[in-house]
Amino acid sequence: AAFKKLSEADRQILSVEMSRTACAGATYSSTAEAVQGVEAFAPGGPAFLVYYGPALLQNGGGDDECVLKVLVEVYREARSLYPLGSS
């Protein structure tokens, strides 16, 4: 429910960044269909692992939308520091 409350741009960031594998040619079919035509879903890396992301979602104090927005910003800032590359 909280995911659907996010803006389209924020949902795309989470969907794309959380499904990156950083392995050449590796994609998740459901993600590729969901973000078909999304320019941001270019292949490449680096892929980011937010190590305590699941714990943050489980113990985020009950405001799931706020927690998701924090994760969006983590991914957004990580991508600005490390733009997509071919390797």
Side-chain angles (χ1 to χ4, degrees), residues 18 49-64 67-68 70-71 75:
M18 292 181 82
L49 171 65
V50 180
Y51 191 77
Y52 283 104
L56 180 63
L57 288 169
Q58 289 178 342
N59 304 310
D63 191 348
D64 295 339
V67 170
L68 288 175
V70 168
L71 284 176
Y75 283 114

Side-chain angles (χ1 to χ4, degrees), residues 4-82:
K4 291 181 179 182
K5 292 180 182 178
L6 296 174
S7 70
E8 179 65 26
D10 287 353
R11 287 194 308 267
Q12 283 184 353
I13 288 172
L14 284 179
S15 296
V16 169
E17 294 296 349
M18 292 181 82
S19 55
R20 284 196 190 283
T21 66
C23 295
T27 60
Y28 295 104
S29 59
S30 59
T31 303
E33 292 167 11
V35 295
Q36 187 176 16
V38 174
E39 203 171 298
F41 196 64
F48 304 115
L49 171 65
V50 180
Y51 191 77
Y52 283 104
L56 180 63
L57 288 169
Q58 289 178 342
N59 304 310
D63 191 348
D64 295 339
E65 186 178 359
C66 182
V67 170
L68 288 175
K69 287 180 179 182
V70 168
L71 284 176
V72 167
E73 287 306 313
V74 168
Y75 283 114
R76 185 177 282 133
E77 294 303 317
R79 184 58 61 209
S80 72
L81 290 171
Y82 299 97

